[in-house]
Amino acid sequence: MYSEWASLQEDIQCDKGNQSVLHKFPAQVGRDVACSVVRHISGNLSIAAANDEPSSLQDDKDIKWTMEVLCYGLGLPLNEHDTINDCVKVYCEWLTALIVPRPCVPRPIVDDPNPYAQDMLHHLLNLFKPRPAAGVDLVKRQALLCHRVLRAIEGVAKESNILTRATWEALLKFLLAANDSLLSPPTEKDDIGDHLCERVLSVLFGIWMLACSKCFPSPSLWKTFRNMCQFWRHHEALVIQWHKINHALTSRIIRMMYGPDYPELLVGEEDSQVIPPDTSNECITQSWFRFLHIIQNPVDLCRPNIISNTQRFLQYALASEAVIDPSHHECLLKLPIIFFKAMRGISVMVNAFLGVPQSVKEENLMAAGLIISTALSATPSTPPGQRKTNKPNLPMSVLTGTLSSKGSSKGSQNAIPKTATPPISSSMGRLSLGSRFPFAPTRPSCNSVLHLFGAWLFDASLAGVKLHAAHATKHKNQRRTSSFIESKHSSTSADPSDTSLTSDNTYEAGRAEACGALCRIFCAHKTREDILPVYYSRFYLIMYYGLQTEEGLISGQVLSNILFNSCDLLRVDLAGVQILVPYILNALELVLTKTQPDFKLCEQIPYVELRKACVHLLLSMLCLPLHFKDLEIKDILSSPETPDHCLSFISLKTRIIDLLQKALFNETDSGNTQMLLGGLMLVVQDLATCEEAEQLTLQPQQDVSDGDVQADMSQTSTSTSSGESSYHDASYHRLQSQPRDLDTAYGLFGHATSLVCTRLMASWKSELNTALAAMELLAGLAKVCIKPPNAMMCKRTVKWICDFIVFQCSRPAPSHSRDLHSMIVAAFKCLQLWLVEHSSLLYDKECLHNVLEVVELGISGSKSQNRASDPPKFKGDKQLMPASMRVKDAAEAVLTCIIDQVGAFPPPCGPESLFSLLDERSLLKYAKGSALPEHGSPFRYFAIDNSIIIGLLEQPLGNVEDPLPMVTSLIRGPFGRHAWTMQLRHSPRAQKISSQAHLSDPGRPIPNGDVGVHHNVQHRYFPESVDRIPLTLADKSIPPMECLVTDSNKEELDHLKTLIEQQIVFEGDVSNQAKIAREKTPFPDPQTECKPPRISHDYQTARLFLSHYGFLSLEALKEPSNSSVPPALVKLDNSSGGLCADLEALDGVPSRDNDTVHIFYAKPGQKTPQEILSNVTTQSRVQPQFLEFLHSLGWPVDVRRHAGWTGHISTSWRIMETEDFDDDDYQTGTGGSVYDGRQQVLYWADVSSEMAFVVPSPETFKLRLLSVVSDTDKSPTSDRFSMNEPHIQLTKPKSLGLEAEKGGRQDRESPGSPPEAAVASGNQARIRRLGRQPTSMFGPDTKVFAVWLENFEDHENFPTGDLLSVASTGQDQQCSSSSTSVQKVPEKDIFVLFIHALQNGLFRIHLQLQDKGHTKMSMAIPLVDGMLVSRRTLGTLVRQTAINICRRKRLESESYQPPHVRRKLKIQEVVNKYRSSLTEAEFYTALFQDMPK
């Protein structure tokens, strides 16, 4: 940089301007003259200053003679302190002539001060010369005088406006000479250089910066300054002052280049004042670059032989008998600290250019002490044979705070014997990955930063490293470390035969800083940014040596810094970065398989944070084996002389999976554990999907036992060893001993579930976020398709979940909290998914018993049998005391799912709806008449147990050919709407004879006159033997009638006898006539023939239904005493149309949770909603992977034919007739805008939740803007939910046997394989308002965005808030307008999942949460911020993460209620509103009344 300019170093060092004429006389003569003259001048100066009298020196000759004396007096021995003090006093007074001259200053000096000031500066240099053999007190006095002179010079430089260029140059030369005089010699304790080092350097740098502003120094001065700094580099203060000025200038440069919005480098107030406020930008630029290179190559600080290669060190070595080699001087023991601080300061500047906000202050940046512990570390990084004991009498340099460091440095036979590695100050704070800010989006390119600092950082990163023969430079002295630096020394030029650098970790702290800075630079790589190949190669070489894990080669601080700063290394599309994967894996095994480190850490990096960084790296590697498969990884040690030893990616699969499981087993930090659980889900899903695609159905011979996992996890990985090939180490041969079933999804599924469940019960059951993440993982594993299914592990998993619930419910009362109940609710939800996905589990008696026992525990709070030997306690005898109502509701949901859905999901009408699609409108079309429910419904409504509403229709639905007693019931309960049709049959349906045949007249048989033998029998009242029995006196106790006849009644008795005789004759004649007439009558006789009764066509089937199910008892109709609860059976009044509207509103409350994900596509540089939304209008504007990703999220559905959630409340849970809809109008070639919710969305559902994926388009943006404008002109209860739309009707599903009308649902394929459905035309679609009243939607309003980024850096500028207008689902308006909703501001969190396609085919995930309030719950899994996901699993994992995010927010929300609870509350509201208060008699009377036909 200054090669064409001459250095002034020799002129300064050989300058005779500080020589006086008295130096030519004997010392005693000079001393006497100086003492006498100076004493007199000083006395007169004091008198003149007190009386404001002018100086007696009026002539130039007088002044020059006097200055000769003063010049000699400043160089007197320190025992003449008074004389020296007087000389300093005189010159300090005279120097005021450059500012405001005092009266005591001689007139010639006042008239022309600059020449005299230049001479004074030359003379004052004598004061700064070291005095050998001076005592400590005298040296301190000399230091005080020097401080006084420096203050005077600072004042002149800052306040004087008359300094000429010659004076400025003289001033700068004086400071250079003073520094050189004090700092060039080797530092001795308590010498003048030791006392003045920091002060004289600060004045030099400060005044030099001031000169740059007022009179920019010449290139010769800059070169002189730069060359002389080489001789001062053994002083720590030089590096401190260098970085102070560098950081202050860098802060200004960054503000000048990138504007005020760029993250600022905050420097201390004192440091910022070094730069004058009026300094021009050009001056700052020139000064910054020159100051940056003022000490030449800072990497030389790790080379004592170069630092000590000066004349002063050689003179000291020759004069001293204690030191043989100059490089062994004791002052060089501080070089490791100086080197570390130099690299630390460069690292700060690198962070500043990368846009990392930081604050730099002296007390927290440069403070570092050296307290050497005599005790060696328990886990040293140096082999025992190479350790050196540290001596306790080494110097200490503590600026602030009390610092301590344990462990010893590593050295070799030629290393500095007493050098210690510098610790990191505890006052600097502990680094944390979570608190790190992202890089600035407008940061400079990596090449630009590397052009500035790369040469230094690359060389410093290999300080003390012996290079492999394949990497050593053959021509050692022919390369330069930088185009700006003439230094020819480079660590990469080490001779491979030189053993002095073997295992030398003396300078590992500075090397670690350099490696960390390089990692941050390369991790700041932007999308599609180019980096020079030479930088790639040097960086990968440094990473290879820094990631060494063998005991003799490892450097703990370097390794920890590299791992901590390389989280994004595999995520940023670095060319050829996969070459480092084996070495990174070695380092990860060293960290993650142990609970405590086996090597010396950088004290600024907590071990938990280091493990977190390692977890991030591991998550970036999980998909590599199955993604690249047989692709080979080139050996970094390959050379033309040695053969290549290559590995394939697929060979690392088992090793990575094994490391993941061991890390999960050993991890104790909650955040790290959750990330590992997300990674485990990714691995299982990726392997299962890959095998499914390749149709692999390998099953191991045996299941995984619990003990196998415990034993396997207790093992630790072995460290790697290095040979001629970097891959020939023990860790790779160790793969053969791993369980081979990890290679299959079947075996990995068993290991994963066993490990997670074991850790859940052992360690995670008390930690909310970890337990929730474990449940999310288990829920995801339940949906993984494993062929053949691992039935044994599924059963064990269900048992573990049940045990987890039992343990949590049985905890003592003080432990019960909302967090505990949230874990129980999540466990019930997970259990529900396992039972639905593996319905065969309930065929196992033991599993069924465990599940039902846990459900009973959740509902009632206790089990019927705590032990098998205990007598069971029946339901009626138990007191209901559940852990909480949330737990009870979750257990009820599981019980209902077991009864309704297990083994029957998805239902015949598809997963879109768990309801029956039939309602009153559709059923009445097939009943008598065509009345709508609003016009008087023939349904009769009853409420059962205040939780179920039954609508009974007593008319047959068109089945006139089979007129049996029939009732159609619509049953609305907490868990949905169901349609039943029942007939009263006396013969089974299986018989081919119809019911009409049983009801018709069978006819009489043919008459037959043969009646057999006719016997004439005399009928008697008593048998004949009675007549032969003699009478007794008792028989004669009742006298005969003749004895009682008197004369008065004899006549009456005779008349009665006559009548009896006549009647007998008459009856005989009639009998004979009838007999004759019957004989003449033909067969059969119509009057006597038996006929069947008339067939009844009118039935009170509603009464029969209620009676047969036992609802019509008197007890069910009685009002409960002292309670507001209605009776068990209540008749509802449906005389008005209000009941119909409320039932429709009840149908609008779904039985599952519903969520929506809005998907956006952002091209590079786009920041406005209009630009982002317009990308999806055409297929040519999006990447092909984006469309594949969309169809992996769900299957396309038409909102007008869809019975489930559509992303907006206005079109959900209703099938609309679309007579004007034509399939030929579907448009093609869109980039996803067809799924904007106007006609189509992407849909996915399981038994507990349903999700819609909406891709907003410019048309939806316009509609939302129009709706906002229209809503401001209307009341909230306007026709938004109008009920008068006759063109909207329900279609009939084919599953119930009714004829499907035109426009009904189309047959769909399985949800797991969505068809390539056509897309609907966006121009003819419109959002239809449906007739439903607002219902209370409890819970948080959680927004989930999935954003596809072409340029990853655009996530910083994504307009999330501006896109909320197109993300409305209508539920927030319902919540605010509902009269029954909680009066509370709706909770709103915005979760954004950014997806970026890397060039290697993987996808980078970035999770972002906006508007986040106080929350205990962290982000959900399986996706983790920074994870790399394969193409196969992207859609599945995004969907699972979105569902889990919404579930966690519902668990956290205090206002959320499950869907079945909301339905139950709505049912109770309807019952209370339309209840008919009838007595038992009135109820039975109303029940028997004829219904209108």
Side-chain angles (χ1 to χ4, degrees):
M1 184 165 54
Y2 308 108
S3 59
E4 299 180 359
W5 298 90
S7 174
L8 304 177
Q9 182 175 356
E10 287 190 21
D11 296 341
I12 294 175
Q13 293 176 344
C14 302
D15 185 20
K16 302 297 183 180
N18 60 341
Q19 295 294 318
S20 171
V21 67
L22 293 178
H23 285 92
K24 298 181 180 180
F25 294 93
Q28 184 64 32
V29 174
R31 185 186 65 81
D32 294 340
V33 172
C35 291
S36 301
V37 175
V38 170
R39 189 182 304 113
H40 177 73
I41 296 174
S42 176
N44 292 339
L45 185 68
S46 300
I47 297 172
N51 301 327
D52 290 338
E53 296 180 359
S55 174
S56 59
L57 302 175
Q58 299 295 330
D59 195 352
D60 178 65
K61 293 186 298 181
D62 301 338
I63 296 175
K64 288 187 176 179
W65 185 88
T66 305
M67 292 179 66
E68 289 289 334
V69 176
L70 293 172
C71 175
Y72 186 84
L74 289 170
L76 289 174
L78 293 181
N79 52 12
E80 300 292 341
H81 177 264
D82 295 337
T83 303
I84 300 174
N85 185 28
D86 291 339
C87 294
V88 171
K89 180 179 179 182
V90 171
Y91 270 174
C92 288
E93 292 293 335
W94 287 3
L95 285 176
T96 60
L98 295 170
I99 310 174
V100 179
R102 298 182 181 177
C104 60
V105 180
R107 175 53 54 185
I109 298 178
V110 175
D111 294 339
D112 190 9
N114 283 287
Y116 295 102
Q118 297 167 22
D119 292 338
M120 285 187 245
L121 292 173
H122 283 93
H123 298 168
L124 286 171
L125 188 59
N126 290 329
L127 177 65
F128 290 85
K129 288 186 177 181
R131 270 66 164 180
V136 176
D137 293 337
L138 294 177
V139 171
K140 291 182 178 180
R141 291 185 179 184
Q142 180 187 9
L144 291 176
L145 295 177
C146 293
H147 280 293
R148 181 176 181 182
V149 172
L150 293 175
R151 283 196 300 270
I153 293 177
E154 276 188 310
V156 170
K158 292 179 180 179
E159 301 176 18
S160 177
N161 296 322
I162 62 175
L163 294 180
T164 62
R165 172 168 285 276
T167 306
W168 273 111
E169 290 186 357
L171 177 58
L172 297 180
K173 290 179 181 179
F174 161 74
L175 292 173
L176 289 175
N179 279 272
D180 189 64
S181 175
L182 295 172
L183 305 181
S184 292
T187 306
E188 294 292 338
K189 186 177 182 181
D190 292 331
D191 64 356
I192 186 62
D194 191 20
H195 285 280
L196 290 177
C197 178
E198 183 178 355
R199 175 62 175 162
V200 75
L201 283 170
S202 65
V203 174
L204 171 62
F205 279 87
I207 293 182
W208 200 285
M209 188 64 232
L210 192 61
C212 292
S213 176
K214 296 184 177 182
C215 181
F216 200 84
S218 64
S220 295
L221 277 174
W222 279 106
K223 185 172 184 178
T224 304
F225 188 10
R226 184 169 175 267
N227 289 343
M228 296 182 76
C229 278
Q230 295 183 72
F231 303 97
W232 312 336
R233 290 183 295 182
H234 56 285
H235 291 279
E236 181 180 349
L238 175 65
V239 174
I240 294 177
Q241 295 301 327
W242 179 52
H243 281 313
K244 280 185 178 181
I245 193 70
N246 281 338
H247 294 157
L249 289 171
T250 302
S251 179
R252 291 284 298 273
I253 282 285
I254 290 177
R255 196 181 316 129
M256 181 177 64
M257 293 175 60
Y258 302 105
D261 295 334
Y262 200 79
E264 186 178 2
L265 173 61
L266 299 177
V267 296
E269 183 178 355
E270 180 181 351
D271 295 344
S272 62
Q273 294 175 356
V274 175
I275 304 176
D278 56 347
T279 308
S280 64
N281 291 341
E282 179 64 22
C283 177
I284 289 178
T285 303
Q286 295 293 332
S287 303
W288 170 77
F289 190 77
R290 284 166 169 79
F291 272 113
L292 184 63
H293 297 89
I294 205 67
I295 68 169
Q296 299 193 24
N297 188 359
V299 185
D300 289 342
L301 294 170
C302 67
R303 305 184 181 107
N305 56 336
I306 295 178
I307 300 299
S308 62
N309 188 19
T310 64
Q311 185 179 1
R312 295 296 184 91
F313 271 90
L314 290 174
Q315 292 176 354
Y316 185 87
L318 294 175
S320 174
E321 298 180 358
V323 178
I324 300 176
D325 193 324
S327 62
H328 287 188
H329 194 279
E330 189 175 1
C331 70
L332 298 181
L333 293 175
K334 299 181 68 174
L335 282 183
I337 297 177
I338 300 173
F339 177 62
F340 161 72
K341 291 186 176 181
M343 292 301 107
R344 175 62 182 157
I346 295 174
S347 176
V348 169
M349 288 187 283
V350 168
N351 291 343
F353 279 103
L354 295 180
V356 179
Q358 54 188 340
S359 177
V360 181
K361 296 182 180 179
E362 180 181 355
E363 62 268 19
N364 64 8
L365 171 69
M366 296 301 175
L370 195 60
I371 297 180
I372 305 302
S373 174
T374 56
L376 296 176
S377 175
T379 57
S381 58
T382 306
Q386 298 180 4
R387 296 181 202 150
K388 293 184 179 290
T389 58
N390 296 315
K391 297 183 179 181
N393 58 350
L394 293 179
M396 298 174 57
S397 174
V398 181
L399 298 181
T400 56
T402 301
L403 309 171
S404 62
S405 174
K406 293 185 178 180
S408 63
S409 64
K410 292 183 279 188
S412 62
Q413 58 182 358
N414 294 331
I416 301 174
K418 294 188 292 184
T419 302
T421 303
I424 306 299
S425 171
S426 59
S427 63
M428 294 174 64
R430 308 280 278 180
L431 295 179
S432 171
L433 282 179
S435 62
R436 288 180 58 188
F437 290 89
F439 302 119
T442 57
R443 62 185 178 273
S445 65
C446 295
N447 278 337
S448 298
V449 182
L450 290 173
H451 291 339
L452 275 176
F453 306 105
W456 295 339
L457 294 175
F458 285 132
D459 285 354
S461 298
L462 292 177
V465 176
K466 179 185 177 182
L467 301 184
H468 192 273
H471 301 151
T473 305
K474 296 181 181 179
H475 304 286
K476 178 176 179 180
N477 295 326
Q478 293 183 357
R479 65 177 298 277
R480 292 162 56 178
T481 58
S482 173
S483 59
F484 310 108
I485 302 173
E486 289 82 357
S487 172
K488 295 182 181 179
H489 305 284
S490 172
S491 61
T492 58
S493 301
D495 187 354
S497 62
D498 183 12
T499 60
S500 63
L501 298 178
T502 303
S503 303
D504 184 6
N505 285 336
T506 302
Y507 299 92
E508 67 172 339
R511 179 188 167 203
E513 279 293 331
C515 291
L518 282 175
C519 291
R520 289 194 296 275
I521 293 174
F522 279 86
C523 287
H525 176 269
K526 295 182 182 179
T527 307
R528 291 182 289 275
E529 178 185 347
D530 293 328
I531 299 179
L532 294 179
V534 63
Y535 289 151
Y536 274 129
S537 60
R538 296 196 68 181
F539 175 66
Y540 294 156
L541 193 67
I542 288 167
M543 292 292 289
Y544 165 73
Y545 287 105
L547 291 172
Q548 291 297 315
T549 56
E550 190 178 353
E551 185 178 1
L553 300 175
I554 186 175
S555 173
Q557 294 192 43
V558 175
L559 181 64
S560 57
N561 260 282
I562 287 178
L563 294 177
F564 183 79
N565 291 283
S566 300
C567 294
D568 296 335
L569 196 63
L570 302 176
R571 307 168 179 165
V572 291
D573 274 332
L574 294 178
V577 72
Q578 285 80 15
I579 198 174
L580 299 176
V581 169
Y583 313 108
I584 296 176
L585 188 57
N586 289 341
L588 297 185
E589 288 178 336
L590 190 66
V591 176
L592 294 179
T593 58
K594 308 289 180 62
T595 57
Q596 295 296 329
D598 288 343
F599 54 91
K600 180 180 179 181
L601 289 177
C602 176
E603 294 186 6
Q604 202 175 1
I605 302 176
Y607 191 55
V608 172
E609 296 299 321
L610 178 62
R611 292 181 65 89
K612 181 179 294 185
C614 293
V615 171
H616 275 286
L617 280 169
L618 181 59
L619 294 180
S620 302
M621 301 168 57
L622 295 178
C623 292
L624 294 180
L626 292 178
H627 182 71
F628 291 110
K629 293 192 175 178
D630 295 328
L631 184 66
E632 292 185 345
I633 307 174
K634 189 173 179 61
D635 190 354
I636 203 171
L637 292 182
S638 62
S639 65
E641 292 80 12
T642 59
D644 291 345
H645 299 276
C646 297
L647 282 177
S648 62
F649 281 94
I650 195 65
S651 64
L652 301 178
K653 182 183 72 171
T654 305
R655 187 176 173 189
I656 291 176
I657 295 175
D658 178 48
L659 174 60
L660 177 64
Q661 291 189 337
K662 289 183 178 180
L664 188 58
F665 183 83
N666 294 324
E667 189 56 62
T668 57
D669 180 72
S670 174
N672 295 350
T673 301
Q674 294 177 67
M675 291 194 295
L676 290 170
L677 288 172
L680 186 59
M681 183 66 230
L682 169 62
V683 169
V684 177
Q685 184 71 50
D686 194 28
L687 185 56
T689 309
C690 181
E691 288 187 2
E692 185 179 4
E694 298 176 357
Q695 297 181 351
L696 297 177
T697 55
L698 301 177
Q699 182 177 2
Q701 298 298 324
Q702 59 184 3
D703 291 326
V704 181
S705 65
D706 306 342
D708 296 339
V709 177
Q710 292 281 1
D712 185 56
M713 290 300 107
S714 62
Q715 301 174 1
T716 57
S717 63
T718 60
S719 61
T720 61
S721 60
S722 177
E724 285 299 316
S725 170
S726 60
Y727 300 139
H728 276 223
D729 51 43
S731 58
Y732 281 86
H733 295 292
R734 184 168 49 85
L735 291 176
Q736 299 178 359
S737 63
Q738 295 299 320
R740 301 308 301 168
D741 52 2
L742 287 181
D743 291 336
T744 64
Y746 183 95
L748 181 58
F749 176 85
H751 276 274
T753 52
S754 179
L755 172 61
V756 173
C757 293
T758 303
R759 296 294 294 161
L760 178 64
M761 294 301 297
S763 305
W764 303 340
K765 54 180 176 289
S766 299
E767 213 289 317
L768 173 63
N769 288 317
T770 307
L772 293 181
M775 290 302 166
E776 291 165 355
L777 171 62
L778 293 176
L781 292 177
K783 296 180 178 296
V784 175
C785 181
I786 304 293
K787 293 183 180 180
N790 195 335
M792 179 61 68
M793 189 52 62
C794 293
K795 178 181 176 181
R796 292 180 183 176
T797 304
V798 171
K799 178 65 167 60
W800 266 316
I801 297 174
C802 294
D803 292 343
F804 176 78
I805 297 174
V806 171
F807 174 82
Q808 300 289 35
C809 290
S810 60
R811 295 179 68 175
S815 300
H816 280 253
S817 62
R818 181 173 181 83
D819 291 348
L820 177 67
H821 298 158
S822 295
M823 288 188 276
I824 300 175
V825 171
F828 272 118
K829 185 75 70 173
C830 180
L831 178 63
Q832 179 179 349
L833 291 176
W834 272 89
L835 295 177
V836 173
E837 297 295 333
H838 304 275
S839 57
S840 60
L841 292 174
L842 293 186
Y843 290 98
D844 184 272
K845 181 178 179 181
E846 180 184 359
C847 184
L848 178 62
H849 175 78
N850 291 332
V851 171
L852 294 181
E853 191 176 49
V854 167
V855 169
E856 178 194 20
L857 175 63
I859 295 176
S860 64
S862 61
K863 297 181 180 180
S864 295
Q865 285 180 294
N866 292 324
R867 299 181 183 86
S869 58
D870 295 342
K873 183 182 295 185
F874 297 103
K875 176 181 177 181
D877 301 333
K878 295 173 61 177
Q879 184 179 2
L880 295 181
M881 296 182 62
S884 71
M885 292 306 297
R886 297 170 63 211
V887 174
K888 177 177 178 291
D889 295 337
E892 288 179 346
V894 173
L895 180 60
T896 303
C897 180
I898 292 173
I899 298 173
D900 289 350
Q901 306 299 336
V902 173
F905 183 85
C909 57
E912 293 87 358
S913 177
L914 300 181
F915 288 9
S916 170
L917 299 183
L918 295 174
D919 65 355
E920 288 83 353
R921 293 177 182 272
S922 56
L923 290 175
L924 289 179
K925 291 182 179 180
Y926 297 91
K928 294 181 181 179
S930 59
L932 293 176
E934 294 89 348
H935 303 152
S937 174
F939 278 85
R940 305 175 73 176
Y941 291 98
F942 300 90
I944 300 174
D945 294 331
N946 201 29
S947 60
I948 297 176
I949 296 178
I950 299 181
L952 300 177
L953 178 63
E954 299 181 308
Q955 300 179 10
L957 298 180
N959 296 328
V960 294
E961 71 281 358
D962 199 7
L964 294 177
M966 178 177 178
V967 62
T968 301
S969 61
L970 286 177
I971 304 173
R972 291 178 171 89
F975 294 92
R977 180 186 65 208
H978 306 280
W980 290 1
T981 299
M982 290 165 284
Q983 290 179 328
L984 182 61
R985 305 182 65 90
H986 296 283
S987 60
R989 287 182 183 272
Q991 292 185 2
K992 297 182 179 179
I993 303 176
S994 64
S995 301
Q996 187 68 32
H998 290 280
L999 297 177
S1000 61
D1001 185 7
R1004 286 294 299 269
I1006 299 175
N1008 187 2
D1010 186 6
V1011 295
V1013 180
H1014 185 271
H1015 299 278
N1016 292 324
V1017 178
Q1018 183 180 2
H1019 297 280
R1020 295 172 56 89
Y1021 293 106
F1022 299 100
E1024 295 178 355
S1025 59
V1026 173
D1027 297 337
R1028 295 193 293 270
I1029 297 174
L1031 299 176
T1032 63
L1033 295 177
D1035 293 331
K1036 297 178 181 180
S1037 61
I1038 300 175
M1041 185 178 296
E1042 288 80 4
C1043 298
L1044 301 176
V1045 175
T1046 59
D1047 295 338
S1048 59
N1049 54 16
K1050 183 178 180 182
E1051 184 178 354
E1052 294 178 358
L1053 286 175
D1054 294 339
H1055 181 64
L1056 179 59
K1057 289 180 179 179
T1058 303
L1059 292 176
I1060 291 174
E1061 292 174 355
Q1062 292 177 356
Q1063 184 63 27
I1064 292 173
V1065 174
F1066 176 76
E1067 290 182 359
D1069 293 341
V1070 171
S1071 175
N1072 292 332
Q1073 293 177 3
K1075 185 176 179 181
I1076 296 172
R1078 186 167 56 253
E1079 292 176 354
K1080 294 180 179 181
T1081 301
F1083 180 82
D1085 189 352
Q1087 295 182 355
T1088 61
E1089 180 66 18
C1090 294
K1091 296 180 180 180
R1094 292 175 54 189
I1095 298 177
S1096 175
H1097 293 279
D1098 297 326
Y1099 309 98
Q1100 289 184 326
T1101 51
R1103 173 179 58 82
L1104 295 176
F1105 172 83
L1106 296 175
S1107 176
H1108 291 172
Y1109 280 89
F1111 296 132
L1112 290 181
S1113 64
L1114 290 175
E1115 291 77 8
L1117 300 177
K1118 290 182 179 180
E1119 291 275 356
S1121 58
N1122 299 327
S1123 176
S1124 59
V1125 179
L1129 180 63
V1130 174
K1131 185 177 183 300
L1132 301 183
D1133 182 12
N1134 61 337
S1135 58
S1136 64
L1139 178 60
C1140 176
D1142 283 337
L1143 290 179
E1144 287 196 2
L1146 174 61
D1147 293 339
V1149 181
S1151 61
R1152 294 178 290 184
D1153 294 320
N1154 55 87
D1155 304 303
T1156 307
V1157 176
H1158 292 84
I1159 304 172
F1160 303 93
Y1161 189 99
K1163 298 183 77 67
Q1166 294 181 342
K1167 299 181 181 179
T1168 63
Q1170 294 80 1
E1171 292 176 333
I1172 294 174
L1173 296 178
S1174 62
N1175 294 328
V1176 295
T1177 55
T1178 58
Q1179 186 174 351
S1180 60
R1181 293 178 61 86
V1182 300
Q1183 296 175 342
Q1185 302 95 318
F1186 176 70
L1187 296 177
E1188 181 181 348
F1189 162 68
L1190 288 181
H1191 288 92
S1192 66
L1193 293 171
W1195 56 94
V1197 295
D1198 193 302
V1199 296
R1200 292 164 293 184
R1201 301 174 178 176
H1202 182 55
W1205 172 247
T1206 64
H1208 198 274
I1209 192 67
S1210 61
T1211 55
S1212 299
W1213 306 304
R1214 178 174 292 247
I1215 297 178
M1216 297 176 284
E1217 284 197 19
T1218 53
E1219 298 178 356
D1220 58 344
F1221 183 72
D1222 189 358
D1223 292 347
D1224 296 335
D1225 293 336
Y1226 283 148
Q1227 61 179 352
T1228 58
T1230 66
S1233 61
V1234 66
Y1235 306 121
D1236 59 0
R1238 293 178 300 150
Q1239 282 190 340
Q1240 284 192 340
V1241 295
L1242 293 167
Y1243 179 81
W1244 182 90
D1246 64 2
V1247 71
S1248 61
S1249 61
E1250 51 183 342
M1251 177 163 283
F1253 301 90
V1254 182
V1255 187
S1257 64
E1259 286 74 16
T1260 56
F1261 184 71
K1262 296 176 183 177
L1263 288 175
R1264 297 302 184 210
L1265 292 179
L1266 293 176
S1267 65
V1268 170
V1269 175
S1270 62
D1271 288 344
T1272 57
D1273 300 333
K1274 297 182 180 181
S1275 63
T1277 57
S1278 61
D1279 58 347
R1280 179 176 180 85
F1281 298 97
S1282 173
M1283 295 179 56
N1284 299 321
E1285 293 194 43
H1287 61 280
I1288 299 178
Q1289 295 179 352
L1290 293 180
T1291 59
K1292 315 302 180 297
K1294 297 180 181 179
S1295 59
L1296 292 182
L1298 301 180
E1299 181 183 0
E1301 298 181 353
K1302 181 181 178 180
R1305 296 181 68 257
Q1306 296 178 345
D1307 294 336
R1308 296 188 179 92
E1309 296 181 5
S1310 170
S1313 56
E1316 295 293 335
V1319 294
S1321 173
N1323 297 327
Q1324 297 184 2
R1326 64 188 183 91
I1327 299 177
R1328 301 193 176 186
R1329 312 287 185 180
L1330 297 185
R1332 62 175 76 253
Q1333 295 294 330
T1335 56
S1336 54
M1337 305 295 292
F1338 298 94
D1341 181 20
T1342 305
K1343 303 294 184 185
V1344 180
F1345 290 174
V1347 183
W1348 188 282
L1349 297 175
E1350 286 191 7
N1351 191 340
F1352 181 77
E1353 289 71 28
D1354 289 336
H1355 75 271
E1356 292 289 340
N1357 300 317
F1358 186 74
T1360 305
D1362 297 336
L1363 290 170
L1364 283 177
S1365 58
V1366 298
S1368 174
T1369 60
Q1371 293 181 339
D1372 46 358
Q1373 290 90 343
Q1374 279 200 341
C1375 184
S1376 60
S1377 61
S1378 174
S1379 60
T1380 60
S1381 63
V1382 178
Q1383 300 298 323
K1384 181 179 179 182
V1385 178
E1387 305 171 32
K1388 179 178 293 186
D1389 285 298
I1390 307 173
F1391 294 86
V1392 187
L1393 286 76
F1394 291 103
I1395 305 168
H1396 172 61
L1398 299 179
Q1399 294 180 1
N1400 60 11
L1402 297 177
F1403 299 89
R1404 181 180 181 181
I1405 303 298
H1406 175 61
L1407 304 182
Q1408 180 177 308
L1409 171 59
Q1410 295 191 3
D1411 297 339
K1412 183 178 180 181
H1414 178 69
T1415 176
K1416 291 183 179 180
M1417 297 187 183
S1418 57
M1419 294 286 282
I1421 63 166
L1423 288 183
V1424 178
D1425 187 23
M1427 178 183 283
L1428 291 190
V1429 181
S1430 66
R1431 180 180 176 184
R1432 291 180 293 266
T1433 59
L1434 179 62
T1436 302
L1437 296 185
V1438 168
R1439 181 177 62 244
Q1440 289 184 13
T1441 304
I1443 292 175
N1444 293 336
I1445 286 173
C1446 297
R1447 284 178 178 170
R1448 284 208 184 191
K1449 294 306 297 181
R1450 283 190 283 265
L1451 281 177
E1452 188 180 19
S1453 174
E1454 296 182 358
S1455 61
Y1456 169 74
Q1457 290 178 318
H1460 70 276
V1461 175
R1462 282 183 271 134
R1463 287 185 59 86
K1464 185 175 182 179
L1465 294 176
K1466 184 64 179 177
I1467 289 173
Q1468 294 174 358
E1469 179 185 341
V1470 173
V1471 171
N1472 292 331
K1473 185 176 180 181
Y1474 298 99
R1475 169 187 173 185
S1476 297
S1477 298
L1478 302 176
T1479 62
E1480 291 87 340
E1482 292 172 343
F1483 182 90
Y1484 286 129
T1485 301
L1487 189 64
F1488 280 91
Q1489 288 180 347
D1490 294 333
M1491 294 296 297
K1493 306 301 181 184

